[in-house]
Structures are given as structure tokens and as C-alpha cells.
Amino acid sequence: MRPTPRKAFAASVFTVAVLAGVSLPATPAAATPHAAPSAAACAPAQVVTNGGFESGTSPWSQSSTSVITNRTGQTAHGGTTFAWLDGVGSTHTDTLSQSVTIPSGCSSATLTFWLHIDTAETTSSTAYDKLTAKIGTTTLATYSNLNKNTGYAQKSFDVSAFAGQTVNVAFTGTEDSSLQTSFVVDDVALDTSGDTTPPADSTRTPAAPSYTVSLSSNTSGTVWTGHESATFTNASSTALSEVYLRLWDNYHGTCSSLPIAVSNVTGGTAGALSVDCTALKIGLSTPLTQGQTATIGFDLGITVPSGADRFGYDGAFSFIGNALPVLAVKDAAGWHLDPYTNNGESFYSLAADFKVTLDHPSTLLVPATGASVDTPGSSGRTITTATASKVRDFAWAAGPFTKISGTSTAGTPINVYSVTGISSANAQSMLTTAKTAVDAHASRFGAYPYGELDAVIDNNFWFGGMEYPGFVLDLVSTTALTHEIGHQWWYGIVGDDEYNSPWLDEAFTDYATDLALSKTGTSCWNSVSWASTAEKITNSMAYWDTHSSRYSTVVYGYGKCALHDLRRVLGDTAMAKLLKDYATSHWYGVSTTAEFKAAAQAATTTDLTSFWTQHRIDG
């Protein structure tokens, strides 16, 4: 993700971090095998695959190829694709189902989906057309033409009784002989959490955020003003009386001259800014109990500073990362209100849905997170509407970019946007790299779920490269771009607390980059030297900000070398399965060091205790 020694992969600094690996010195030749340990405590997981239907049809079973669709007549709740059952207007049945395994040992399992119903039926008393939602053989609910609504509504069901079972999540829509009713389903999820005998409430909240943003820019794309709203649910058993917005880019200004200005808050009362003006407390109008939902809204002003940065402008080109306020995370440790780090990332957030409307001069191209659609605005202006489902942030750029496009072999659309001075040959090379990289990572960790992928190329970036969901900033560098695209999985899909556990995204992404570039990790530990007994792969950014010269070497270099060593302990096949299964079980969730260690231990009969100690992986 960042900075000069850490992200300038094309130069010799990256070569140090890339050294491929044998074992650490003194790694035991053979550890004492023992019986596989008992299952770890329940880790929060989302067990429905492709619940937003953005990754094709697999693994859903549908009665016809027209059920999962993006055809006109209906719209998605998030992304561009949805499941449309019925809507024919004659005797008809549509079905949609997926087999899921709900882990045992989890006290909570909740099935949710978003449902929109429209109908030509005029009755207010007779249910002619019906949709049934089932899990296994149990009917959870039946909806009909009487439940028509103007938008989507989220439905939620406690399915904890099915823990430890493999069951079908199924929808069946039936129509009678006349007058259509359309049942439109999207963003299906089945979240599990909680030990059977849970300790303190460690639930991450506020959950399921949904952001709606409308902004208009000045003529250069350096100033944006408008409105943002955030809808969220309290997932915790503890009442939620306030939330915090992270205004990360206020780091780039001063508290007396804020690049990110929030005003006219509704749904709560704004408190004082804190953490160098990057955190804004909002007291909620009414405390939320578990399962309750609230919405806050506010006017938003964004002023982009000068500089080829992840938030800055380079001549006519603006890069607008981390500019939208997002909700901070609260768990058993309290609110995560860590400071901004320019050495790496602090951006810990939960997967969310975004709908962002950007009104800008037509002379500017605006690549952005998610799937974008351009429509004419007022004279000389264009409105770019971008929607993204299950992403942790939203970023965009604006400028007179040169754009080229292509599609990867597996079908992911790729767009490369180049600033002035990037040759057409270099742009084409980056397009080729992006197409290869996205397919390589997807084959190892799971299908890329975000539709298109935009890469913005500028050789003036001091930090090398930076990742956002579906959107990356990069130099002209095969290795760097492969790395940033790898972050779509390790940070984007499999989230983590980037401030407190940076190795979980950086080391894993550097390891994925090695694999994608056919590097096997030979001689990985050449010239290894730990600076002190306090230096560990798993140290937080608080440590690395005071030892910045060691950050790249240890977190990127030693971190990925440790994963190469783990592969040698487990074997290539077992390691590949471990990472793919781990990604699947944490899809749109949050990874922790303890959970990864438990998953690795469960994948082998070799006691890994000495391995973690030797490689300085704590947690």
C-alpha cells in the first residue's frame, strides 16, 4: 500500500523485500507431530457465496438462466446484478437456491436479504403471486403481491438452529395466470458469530453500513460539495448511543483549515473533532438496541490539496482516496480511533454498500470504485453514478486521463487511466499486467467480486501504489500493480485492522504477488537481521511509525517469507487450500492473526507453536 521504501517496488528497495525464501535460520528440521487441535472458537463468517450475484451465477442453482440477471426493468440493491423471480404475467414458477454450511460452535446465525416487490395486481386483499423463502425444509417467510414496495427492504431471520448443518437457502416465486408480480432479491448473506458460550460481546458494529453520496465538483475537479448519508445497524448486544465518522484526509490539512468539512448533521448531534480532527463523534438521536437501524446525514465539502498523493492533485489530475467519511468500528476493545499514518494505512472499516453520484465537467474522466454509469448533466457537465457492494471504502480520480480498456481471460473488465506523460506502450503494458494479475489472484483466492477494475497510472506517485476497492493508484511497474491488485483480496475482500495488524494485508499481498509472478521464495531469508527483540512481523503501525526504516523489510519482506516457510511446512497443496478456504470463510469479513494461526494449525498435524515463535508472529 505505501510509502517510498515500502511501495516503490520497481527500485532496489523492493528487491530486498522480494527476496524469495528458504527457512529462517534455526528453523527446526522436523517438528513433533501431534493430533489436530480441537476447533477454534467461532470466528465471525459469512457463508453465502456470491450473495450479490456480481460474480456470475455460481454457486447458485436457478430454474432458468434469466433469474440472475442485470437486464432492464429492475435495478440491483448493490452493484449491477440481482435475482429476478417471476414478472411474467402468466402461470409461472422461478426458483433460486444455494447449499451452505453453517459452522458448528457458533451461537448466532442470521440470514439476510434485500427484497423489492412490484406488481400489476390491483387487489388489496388477495395474495395471487407469492415468494417463499426457506432454509432446508423450514419456511422462513412468504411474501406476495400484497407486500409490494417502492424500493428494497432488508429481511432478517435467525437461523442459529441450523448450526453444524449443510442446508439449502432457497427462494421460490409463483405467479398465477395473469398480471405480473416481480420478486427481486439481492445481497443475500448468512452471517455467523459468537461462541456457544460467548465471552464478552466482541461483535463489530455498526454493521451493514450503506452510504449514499451526491457531490458536485468545480471546473478542475479539486473541490467537491454535496451531501452524504449513512445507514447502519447495531449488531452488538450493547446499546449504541453514538457513532464516529473517520475524516481521514484531515491529516493533510489543519484543524483550522479542514480538507474534509462536515456540517448540518441530521439523525444525531455532532460533537468535537478529535484524533487530529480525523474523528467526528455523532451522538445518536435515540440509542440503538441490537438489530435496530439508524441513518445519519450531513453536508460534505472536500478540498483536494496539491501533490501527487493518494489524496492530492498532480497538475490537472486529482486523486481522491479516503475522502468520504466512513464509520469507525466498535468491538469489545471499544471504538477503533487510531491516528492516520503516512507510513502505511489506518483504514479499518467494515464491508459496506456505496451509491455515489459525481457531477463534474465533461472534460474530466472520473474513474471510481464500483460500476460506473455516465449520463448527461447540465450544459458541459456529466453525472457519473458509481455503485459498489460490500466494499470497505470508496475512491475516485478526476482529470483529462487517457483511457484504455480490456477484459481479462476470466471476464473481468479492466480500465487503465493514464496521466499526461505515460506512453501508450506503458499504458498497454499495465493493462496486460492488470488482466493477468486479477485472474491469477482470483484463481488462488476466489472470484473477483467487484465487477470492473480501474487502475490510475502516474509515475509521480511518491508512494509507489495504493489500493482501494476496485480502484488502484500506481506507477508503471508490473510488480507494484500486481501487488496493488492483490490487495483486492487481502484488505478488500478479507478485511483486517490495518493499523494494528498491517501484516495481514501487506505480507499476504506480497506473498500473493510472488505466487502471481512465479516466485517460489528461494533464498528468502538472505541477510536476515532483526533490529531488536521487540521487532516482530505482527507489530502495529504505532511501532512502525517510530521504526519506519524497518517497516518494509519486516512487514513486507519477512512477513511474506514467513508465509513461504509455512507453505514448505504444510506443502504446496495444503497451503493453497488453506488460503483459499480462509479467504472464503472471511469473505467480506475481518481477519485476525489469531484466526489465521488457528486455521493454519487446523491444516496440519505438525505443532506450529515453535514456527510462530521463530517467525515472530504473535497474536
Side-chain angles (χ1 to χ4, degrees), residues 7-11 14 18 416 422 425-438 440-441 453 455-459 464-466 472-487 509-510 512-519:
K7 296 297 259 187
F9 293 124
F14 177 76
V18 162
V416 171
I422 302 297
N426 280 339
Q428 189 62 52
S429 173
M430 291 299 91
L431 178 60
T432 299
T433 293
K435 291 192 289 187
T436 301
V438 73
H441 296 315
L453 174 64
V456 178
I457 309 299
D458 185 342
N459 275 333
M466 180 65 197
V472 299
L473 306 173
D474 222 309
L475 305 170
V476 175
S477 167
T478 295
T479 302
L481 186 56
T482 302
H483 176 97
E484 302 311 332
I485 292 174
H487 273 304
T509 297
D510 238 17
T513 301
D514 271 8
L515 298 181
L517 298 178
S518 301
K519 296 180 179 179

Side-chain angles (χ1 to χ4, degrees), residues 222-237:
T222 58
V223 176
W224 300 77
T225 56
H227 189 80
E228 176 176 345
S229 65
T231 300
F232 51 88
T233 300
N234 180 21
S236 170
S237 59

Side-chain angles (χ1 to χ4, degrees), residues 320-361:
I320 309 168
N322 307 112
L324 293 184
V326 294
L327 292 163
V329 179
K330 183 184 181 184
D331 57 21
W335 286 103
H336 287 258
L337 300 177
D338 298 304
Y340 184 102
T341 174
N342 209 36
N343 189 36
E345 284 77 45
S346 306
F347 315 129
Y348 177 30
S349 57
L350 303 183
D353 295 340
F354 285 82
K355 182 176 182 180
V356 179
T357 302
L358 302 169
D359 182 332
H360 57 88

Side-chain angles (χ1 to χ4, degrees), residues 314-524:
D314 181 16
F317 302 92
S318 294
F319 314 104
I320 309 168
N322 307 112
L324 293 184
V326 294
L327 292 163
V329 179
K330 183 184 181 184
D331 57 21
W335 286 103
H336 287 258
L337 300 177
D338 298 304
Y340 184 102
T341 174
N342 209 36
N343 189 36
E345 284 77 45
S346 306
F347 315 129
Y348 177 30
S349 57
L350 303 183
D353 295 340
F354 285 82
K355 182 176 182 180
V356 179
T357 302
L358 302 169
D359 182 332
H360 57 88
S362 299
T363 54
L364 305 180
L365 296 184
V366 180
T369 291
S372 296
V373 176
D374 287 345
T375 55
S378 59
S379 178
R381 296 182 69 87
T382 296
I383 297 174
T384 298
T385 301
T387 56
S389 178
K390 304 296 188 296
V391 296
R392 300 181 191 278
D393 205 343
F394 185 98
W396 72 100
F401 295 102
T402 299
K403 176 186 177 183
I404 60 173
S405 301
T407 303
S408 75
T409 300
T412 298
I414 309 287
N415 303 304
V416 171
Y417 294 82
S418 301
V419 304
T420 303
I422 302 297
S423 70
S424 59
N426 280 339
Q428 189 62 52
S429 173
M430 291 299 91
L431 178 60
T432 299
T433 293
K435 291 192 289 187
T436 301
V438 73
D439 285 355
H441 296 315
S443 68
R444 289 184 173 92
F445 311 123
Y448 178 73
Y450 296 137
E452 67 185 29
L453 174 64
D454 293 340
V456 178
I457 309 299
D458 185 342
N459 275 333
N460 290 331
F461 290 142
W462 67 267
F463 49 87
M466 180 65 197
E467 72 285 350
Y468 295 98
F471 177 97
V472 299
L473 306 173
D474 222 309
L475 305 170
V476 175
S477 167
T478 295
T479 302
L481 186 56
T482 302
H483 176 97
E484 302 311 332
I485 292 174
H487 273 304
Q488 299 302 311
W489 284 263
W490 304 106
Y491 142 77
I493 297 167
V494 181
D496 65 288
D497 180 344
E498 292 186 302
Y499 188 85
N500 289 297
S501 300
W503 90 287
L504 287 171
D505 53 275
E506 295 300 355
F508 280 61
T509 297
D510 238 17
Y511 176 76
T513 301
D514 271 8
L515 298 181
L517 298 178
S518 301
K519 296 180 179 179
T520 61
T522 305
S523 303
C524 201

Side-chain angles (χ1 to χ4, degrees), residues 525-612:
W525 291 104
N526 285 358
S527 304
V528 63
S529 176
W530 296 99
S532 70
T533 57
E535 188 172 81
K536 301 179 187 298
I537 289 172
T538 47
N539 281 349
S540 73
M541 291 308 305
Y543 177 89
W544 298 117
D545 280 347
T546 59
H547 302 81
S548 58
S549 66
R550 296 289 295 168
Y551 177 56
S552 174
T553 298
V554 177
V555 174
Y556 285 66
Y558 296 178
K560 69 94 172 286
C561 291
L563 294 173
H564 278 299
D565 282 356
L566 183 61
R567 173 175 54 81
R568 280 181 276 273
V569 172
L570 270 59
D572 291 356
T573 300
M575 182 67 168
K577 184 177 188 302
L578 165 64
L579 288 180
K580 190 158 192 175
D581 288 350
Y582 190 78
T584 298
S585 65
H586 290 76
W587 205 260
Y588 302 137
V590 175
S591 169
T592 67
T593 298
E595 289 169 4
F596 178 72
K597 289 170 67 175
Q601 184 60 83
T604 180
T605 57
T606 298
D607 188 340
L608 295 177
T609 302
S610 62
F611 179 93
W612 307 125

Side-chain angles (χ1 to χ4, degrees), residues 248-298:
W248 288 114
D249 284 335
N250 281 343
Y251 166 88
H252 297 275
T254 66
C255 288
S256 60
S257 180
L258 297 172
I260 309 299
V262 169
S263 60
N264 298 324
V265 174
T266 59
T269 303
L273 287 163
S274 60
V275 198
D276 294 326
C277 294
T278 66
L280 176 62
K281 180 179 179 179
I282 297 180
L284 298 179
S285 302
T286 303
L288 294 184
T289 59
Q290 189 172 32
Q292 286 188 317
T293 296
T295 298
I296 57 172
F298 46 88

